[in-house]
Amino acid sequence: MRIEQSYIPVRGVGEKTERSLWAEGATHWDRFDPDLLGEKTGARVEDFIARAEPRLEAGEATFFAEQFPDSAQWRLYENFREETLFLDIETTGLDKRRNVVTTVSLHQGGETTTLVRGRDLTAERLQSHLEDAALLSTFNGAQFDVPFLETAFDVSVDLPHLDLRFLSQRLGLSGGLKEIERTVGIERDRPDISGRDAIRLWREYERGDQAALETLCEYNRADTVNLQTLLETVVARLDEHVWPESV
């Protein structure tokens, strides 16, 4: 599903009307005929397309995040796949006021960077990665990762956000990241570690164990890379729910 196949940002067009438009052949903006709708709604669609096309060409993901309903934000992914930043953090606990961020992994465009507290984990590095992205994707990041980073580093995380915890729930997939991965058939090369293990590894590193940090970073990177695999799986399934088989 691509943005230019969508009509639901337009007032008066819901998913039922959108499916009817697709069934009539308007499967892309350049195939839209206002005669398929009433005069006022057809005019609103034409106006939306006229405003949206240059924004899409300019890569303005925020514009579309503001136009699309919350339930359809996932439709932005296909257009902004290469500019989507997948992010996952490790911390010394769950309290953003008392605990600290130890590592942050960021995956975008096939490349993964892991920043480490006391080395290169700085507000400037984080902000640089955020500024290079169009979309953000996390697992439960809206409630955990993002508030933690904003509190710890005073950075602004205001990208359109695809939180896989809530996207997965729309498909009836519940539980933590690893549980959902197993449910949809995503396999890992190594056994899982818990949040408690992540804290233990960081403490061991603080006592001089470099191997413990390497292990922690490997798991943090794996979590982040797998976010992309999971998002693509979830988006494909949501697409199947929305896109009519007859089209």
Side-chain angles (χ1 to χ4, degrees):
M1 176 68 68
R2 297 182 61 84
I3 289 172
E4 59 269 36
Q5 295 172 302
S6 302
Y7 300 95
I8 54 173
V10 178
R11 179 166 56 89
V13 180
E15 290 188 358
K16 182 178 179 180
T17 300
E18 185 179 58
R19 284 193 293 270
S20 296
L21 288 171
W22 293 333
E24 293 290 339
T27 54
H28 191 282
W29 291 345
D30 60 12
R31 298 177 184 174
F32 175 72
D33 184 341
D35 290 338
L36 294 172
L37 298 171
E39 182 179 352
K40 290 183 179 180
T41 305
R44 284 197 293 267
V45 171
E46 287 191 306
D47 176 68
F48 169 71
I49 293 172
R51 290 184 295 113
E53 284 181 327
R55 300 294 187 96
L56 188 58
E57 185 176 351
E60 297 181 25
T62 300
F63 170 81
F64 294 99
E66 293 170 349
Q67 301 296 315
F68 275 71
D70 290 345
S71 62
Q73 297 284 305
W74 59 272
R75 298 193 191 191
L76 277 62
Y77 177 64
E78 188 61 38
N79 291 81
F80 295 100
R81 177 189 298 265
E82 293 302 312
E83 295 82 30
T84 300
L85 178 66
F86 298 89
L87 180 148
D88 184 71
I89 72 174
E90 301 294 345
T91 69
T92 58
L94 302 178
D95 189 333
K96 64 180 181 292
R97 300 291 178 183
R98 298 175 52 194
N99 302 119
V100 300
V101 181
T102 56
T103 64
V104 178
S105 282
L106 310 111
H107 179 73
Q108 182 181 347
E111 297 185 0
T112 309
T113 299
T114 300
L115 306 176
V116 178
R117 179 178 177 82
R119 293 187 178 181
D120 51 7
L121 178 50
T122 65
E124 291 75 15
R125 290 291 300 275
L126 286 172
Q127 199 68 61
S128 175
H129 281 276
L130 292 166
E131 289 173 355
D132 286 341
L135 299 178
L136 176 68
S137 184
T138 67
F139 188 91
N140 198 38
Q143 296 185 357
F144 185 73
D145 303 66
V146 169
F148 231 111
L149 292 176
E150 289 181 332
T151 298
F153 297 98
D154 193 29
V155 294
S156 175
V157 186
D158 57 0
L159 292 169
H161 188 174
L162 303 179
D163 191 321
L164 275 158
R165 176 188 171 190
F166 303 107
L167 281 177
S168 298
Q169 287 176 355
R170 293 189 57 196
L171 296 171
L173 300 169
S174 59
L177 175 61
K178 315 303 188 303
E179 181 180 351
I180 292 175
E181 286 178 356
R182 290 191 292 269
T183 300
V184 300
I186 298 174
E187 298 182 356
R188 292 200 175 216
D189 296 332
R190 303 183 63 176
D192 185 23
I193 67 170
S194 66
R196 184 172 297 180
D197 291 327
I199 297 171
R200 173 183 56 78
L201 288 167
W202 180 257
R203 298 305 184 200
E204 291 174 359
Y205 161 66
E206 288 185 315
R207 293 193 291 269
D209 187 345
Q210 293 293 323
L213 178 62
E214 293 175 7
T215 300
L216 177 61
C217 289
E218 287 176 7
Y219 281 107
N220 191 197
R221 283 193 292 269
D223 280 353
T224 311
V225 172
N226 276 18
L227 288 176
Q228 180 167 13
T229 305
L230 180 57
L231 179 59
E232 292 181 351
T233 301
V234 167
V235 165
R237 293 192 180 187
L238 289 170
D239 200 328
E240 291 173 1
H241 280 268
V242 171
W243 192 257
E245 293 182 3
S246 59
V247 174

